[in-house]
Amino acid sequence: MGLLSIIRAQKLKDRELRVLVLGLDNAGKTTVVKYLLNDPSATSPTMGFAIDTLTREDSTIHFWDVGGQKSLRPFWGNYFEHTDVVVWVVDAASVERVQESAQELNELRDTKRLVGVRVVVVVNKVDLLPPSQRAEVVPRVEALFGDDVTTVVASAKTGENLDRVLEAILEDHYNMN
Ligand code: G3D
């Protein structure tokens, strides 16, 4: 391989992003990834993990979609090495699960495994919320999750704001390159 090819390969490598998609089961993780990949095939609960790749502008984004069932959560830690961004998907339509979800993320942060990893919280399924509740959801989520995460209110069903999710994933990456 010539020098130019090596440099080019390195540059491409630098523009690779590893995104871990986490959250409780049924939050909509797989549906979010499928929408971003423009793959409408039927979803089923993620039983282990799936990797999907999306090329956007100059970046290659690898989505690691990891199962959220209670039995699988102890294994989340195995996936953190080399992760750039965690996309944390929350089912906004389930009040008690929003709380449980915040608790899981906060426990994960306490383990220090997310040091240096950006967290994008996708407040999903807002299509199921009446307008009055939509207005309340952001302050509630911010209070529960803290203000050092990027929060995007979205719906993987209608596609609302999923472009914002991609922007949030790519944000710092562009600044670095
Ligand atoms: P998971 O990967 O987090 O376990 P899935 O969750 O992506 O499998 O989604 C779980 C269910 O929620 C699916 O419904 C899916 O269609 C639905 N869902 C995901 N995102 C949204 C959303 O934004 N709005 C609405 N209304 N539903 C959503 P089924 O019926 O297939 O179990």
Side-chain angles (χ1 to χ4, degrees):
M1 193 189 268
L3 183 60
L4 257 184
S5 315
I6 293 172
I7 292 171
R8 223 174 268 138
Q10 184 61 38
K11 282 200 114 175
L12 272 179
K13 198 164 147 254
D14 287 345
R15 286 177 187 274
E16 284 193 12
L17 266 178
R18 178 165 156 153
V19 177
L20 199 51
V21 185
L22 292 178
L24 304 185
D25 49 295
N26 208 47
K29 299 178 292 298
T30 305
T31 315
V32 167
V33 174
K34 295 274 180 203
Y35 191 96
L36 291 176
L37 294 162
N38 202 9
D39 176 357
S41 56
T43 61
S44 57
T46 314
M47 286 312 291
F49 69 91
I51 308 171
D52 289 295
T53 300
L54 171 69
T55 306
R56 175 77 175 226
E57 321 252 331
D58 288 345
S59 296
T60 305
I61 310 172
H62 302 287
F63 289 99
W64 289 61
D65 177 6
V66 182
Q69 292 94 331
K70 239 187 182 123
S71 58
L72 293 173
R73 292 180 210 165
F75 300 104
W76 282 352
N78 299 345
Y79 299 94
F80 289 124
E81 216 175 319
H82 307 306
T83 290
D84 301 294
V85 181
V86 164
V87 168
W88 188 272
V89 184
V90 182
D91 178 352
S94 166
V95 175
E96 62 296 346
R97 294 216 91 195
V98 173
Q99 190 115 21
E100 183 188 351
S101 178
Q103 199 176 326
E104 281 289 343
L105 179 59
N106 288 332
E107 279 174 21
L108 211 52
R109 283 157 142 181
D110 288 344
T111 66
K112 307 283 179 221
R113 280 183 161 130
L114 294 182
V115 173
V117 177
R118 283 188 301 118
V119 180
V120 177
V121 174
V122 178
V123 185
N124 192 35
K125 303 198 188 183
V126 291
D127 58 289
L128 297 175
L129 296 180
S132 58
Q133 278 183 35
R134 277 185 67 128
E136 289 165 12
V137 83
V138 171
R140 203 165 138 254
V141 165
E142 280 174 354
L144 285 167
F145 286 84
D147 52 13
D148 52 351
V149 300
T150 304
T151 305
V152 183
V153 170
S155 165
K157 187 161 193 169
T158 66
E160 179 184 344
N161 276 345
L162 287 196
D163 52 342
R164 285 274 307 110
V165 174
L166 260 191
E167 278 168 25
I169 290 170
L170 290 166
E171 211 159 82
D172 278 10
H173 196 50
Y174 281 142
N175 294 340
M176 283 186 314
N177 285 295

